[in-house]
Amino acid sequence: MSLYLLPLSAPLLLLLAASLGGLRSGRRPPLLPLVAEGAALGALLIALASLALLIVQGAGTSALLGWGGIGLSVRLDAVSATMLLLVAFVGWIVVRYARTYLDGEARQGYFIGWLCVALAAVLLLVQAGNLVQLVVAWIATSLALRRLLLFYPERVAARRAARKKRLFSTLGAIALIGAAALIWTRLGTTDIATINAMARAGAHAWTLVVAAALLALAAVLKSAQFPTHGWLTEMMEAPTPVSALLHAGVVNGGGFLLIRFADLMLLSPGVLAALAMLGGFTALFGALVMLTQPAVKTSLAWSTVAQMGFMILQCGLALFPLALLHIVAHSLYKAHAFLASGGAVEQVAATRRPGPVAVPSVSAVGRAFLIALAIYVGIGALFGLTFGFGHKSPQALALGAILIFGVAYLLAQGLADAAPRALTRRTALYACAAAVGYFALQSVAEWLTSGVLPATPAPGRLEWTLLALAVLSFGLVAVAQALFPLWASHPAAAGLRVHLSNGLYVNAALDRLLGGWSVPKAS
């Protein structure tokens, strides 16, 4: 038996724990919380063992447990090992948290059981070595998430979110099935490694372009891109562990899909351009709405919408190693943010705020952006950036410039006239640390995925236009945010804040378009 089948034992452990949840679905089920936590920890240990196997044996695909290209197989490489560790680690933390959080709930066993099913489905997804397993795990993940969203079936908002999620999940599943069928018809194989190798070797046909478009559609629907984001922002009616679980390869599963088929996606520059535009718009839209939300969990949900947009933007720019890095970083900090949201609210409420907040002037904002860009260029030079972009792709450099705009906002606070010198020094230090972190992590991600993910191609005229548009758009929004305190008292600002706090009514329009919200209650 192939050693590469080792990761399959992780979802098997979780499914065994889930079966116990089906038998003991009520309040305080005997042994189930302990068994589920043990299964989650076992999955994490198996993920670590899989990483060791990858280091010792190298990347590879297991034998197929099935026939005719249908069955179970494992693709173990830098991408799947990273996702296995991420999903198993976050999943273990969420299961531990849920053990206390849901103690005494009437359907505690039901929740723990479906939580284990969801984790098992995601683990099957990220290690899938063939198209059939990937499609089945993709659909199973959505089904399990819907059960968790309906844990409180009497809540209208939860039912509304679950119905939207079911609609978009169904459309996404149809798109993924269509893509898989086209790929199999054209290339004659369901093995994912072989498909990517054939695409990298130059296999090209209109059917593969259509398949790439369908993969992109499935990814967009999975990752709550505009205008399908409504279910994600309404899922706050579900228990907090569900919010954290989303970041264990569920909502960011769309990014994983694009990364897994990166070689195939490069055959369709037009599809990548569409992803870049939609992802960039979603990122800006979600970030602006996030700033107007009064509730911490709702604000975090809109932040996730923005971050998923940024992830899709990275994939659209063919920055697949950076997209994988983004999935890991965002999942870890956002899962923690959701689980710690209650305590964070108490800490902020108890914090004393001495004196007024420093408001930067227009000149301070201008200086902040110039200093931030100078720091970025200077540190980039230390990492090998030379005239003509050195060995870094223009896409990666543009993305770094966008990220440094957030640092410029912090610098502007430190350069305000009323700001103490200590704050100025601290923000300058943060700017340097952010630039160093970006280039260092980018280099590490590219090194780890070398040979697994394709290199970012040189940009053409379309890509240069998209880069310029992205940098200009994010830059203007960052400047407007930094200057907002200067015109916040204007009547137009109050009206804009109301419209943004309602998400520009896009979700409400979708509610009306889809009609009534009568959905069957979860059993």
Side-chain angles (χ1 to χ4, degrees):
M1 188 64 67
S2 173
L3 287 175
Y4 289 110
L5 288 173
L6 172 65
L8 275 178
S9 55
L12 178 61
L13 275 178
L14 288 162
L15 288 175
L16 289 175
S19 64
L20 183 60
L23 297 174
R24 301 174 178 179
S25 59
R27 181 182 286 109
R28 292 194 175 94
L31 296 180
L32 176 59
L34 185 61
V35 170
E37 185 178 335
L41 178 59
L44 177 58
L45 294 176
I46 292 170
L48 290 169
S50 301
L51 175 62
L53 176 62
L54 174 64
I55 295 172
V56 173
Q57 297 283 348
T61 302
S62 74
L64 178 72
L65 297 179
W67 59 91
I70 300 175
L72 296 175
S73 62
V74 174
R75 174 62 185 169
L76 187 60
D77 56 19
V79 174
S80 60
T82 299
M83 293 300 296
L84 278 170
L85 283 170
L86 173 67
V87 174
F89 176 70
V90 175
W92 174 53
I93 297 299
V94 171
V95 171
R96 279 180 59 87
Y97 183 90
R99 181 179 175 182
T100 303
Y101 183 88
L102 290 167
D103 185 52
E105 287 281 352
R107 298 198 300 162
Q108 181 181 356
Y110 173 94
F111 182 91
I112 293 176
W114 280 106
L115 181 62
C116 291
V117 171
L119 286 173
V122 178
L123 288 171
L124 278 174
L125 172 68
V126 299
Q127 66 183 263
N130 65 86
L131 289 173
V132 177
Q133 179 181 336
L134 186 141
V135 170
V136 172
W138 181 278
I139 296 172
T141 301
S142 296
L143 293 175
L145 179 61
R146 183 173 181 271
R147 292 285 186 170
L148 294 173
L149 286 175
L150 285 173
F151 181 70
Y152 298 119
E154 69 280 1
R155 298 183 179 180
V156 175
R159 293 160 59 193
R160 182 166 59 235
R163 182 177 178 183
K164 285 181 187 173
K165 184 66 178 74
R166 181 175 61 180
L167 171 63
F168 298 137
S169 295
T170 301
L171 294 175
I174 293 172
L176 184 58
I177 292 171
L182 288 174
I183 294 170
W184 176 76
T185 301
R186 177 61 188 176
L187 301 181
T189 180
T190 62
D191 183 74
I192 293 175
T194 304
I195 291 167
N196 278 322
M198 295 175 73
R200 187 175 298 191
H204 199 0
W206 70 268
T207 50
L208 295 182
V209 174
V210 175
L214 291 174
L215 288 174
L217 177 60
V220 163
L221 292 171
K222 188 77 165 182
S223 295
Q225 297 299 284
F226 181 93
T228 67
H229 57 273
W231 69 269
L232 179 58
T233 59
E234 291 176 346
M235 52 152 287
M236 297 303 103
E237 293 297 320
T240 296
V242 179
S243 304
L245 176 70
L246 283 177
H247 300 87
V250 180
V251 71
N252 40 32
F256 167 76
L257 181 69
L258 297 174
I259 294 168
R260 177 45 87 200
F261 291 97
D263 294 286
L264 183 64
M265 298 305 300
L266 287 180
L267 299 178
S268 307
V271 174
L272 291 179
L275 285 172
M277 288 187 285
L278 179 60
F281 179 81
T282 302
L284 289 172
F285 172 71
L288 289 172
V289 176
M290 174 199 71
L291 296 174
T292 65
Q293 300 303 306
V296 61
K297 286 181 65 177
T298 305
S299 179
L300 289 173
W302 278 103
S303 171
T304 295
V305 171
Q307 294 290 342
M308 292 301 97
F310 206 75
M311 175 191 68
I312 295 296
L313 170 64
Q314 290 169 320
C315 292
L317 295 177
L319 296 169
F320 297 107
L322 283 181
L324 181 62
L325 174 64
H326 185 272
I327 288 176
V328 174
H330 174 251
S331 296
L332 292 176
Y333 99 79
K334 189 58 68 63
H336 173 268
F338 271 110
L339 295 180
S341 57
V345 171
E346 295 176 356
Q347 292 176 10
V348 171
T351 301
R352 295 185 178 181
R353 298 173 178 81
V357 177
V359 177
S361 62
V362 175
S363 61
V365 172
R367 293 197 308 273
F369 275 78
L370 290 176
I371 293 173
L373 289 174
I375 290 173
Y376 177 63
V377 173
I379 293 178
L382 296 178
F383 277 85
L385 173 60
T386 58
F387 184 75
F389 298 118
H391 67 284
K392 298 295 183 184
S393 67
Q395 294 94 319
L397 294 173
L399 190 73
I402 291 173
L403 293 175
I404 212 69
F405 289 151
V407 176
Y409 173 78
L410 292 177
L411 275 175
Q413 315 306 310
L415 294 175
D417 293 336
R421 291 294 179 88
L423 179 61
T424 305
R425 291 192 296 268
R426 191 181 307 163
T427 52
L429 181 62
Y430 290 162
C432 294
V436 170
Y438 173 73
F439 282 109
L441 290 174
Q442 177 191 356
S443 299
V444 170
E446 290 175 347
W447 174 70
L448 288 175
T449 57
S450 176
V452 178
L453 296 178
T456 303
R461 184 177 300 177
L462 175 60
E463 287 76 19
W464 278 113
T465 303
L466 290 174
L467 289 177
L469 181 61
V471 172
L472 180 62
S473 300
F474 280 91
L476 289 175
V477 170
V479 170
Q481 181 184 355
L483 294 175
F484 181 77
L486 299 179
W487 52 278
S489 59
H490 193 280
L496 178 61
R497 186 179 184 87
V498 171
H499 297 319
L500 284 175
S501 66
N502 287 282
L504 299 182
Y505 311 102
V506 173
N507 196 39
L510 184 61
D511 287 348
R512 179 168 295 184
L513 179 65
L514 296 178
W517 293 108
S518 176
V519 294
K521 294 185 178 182
S523 57

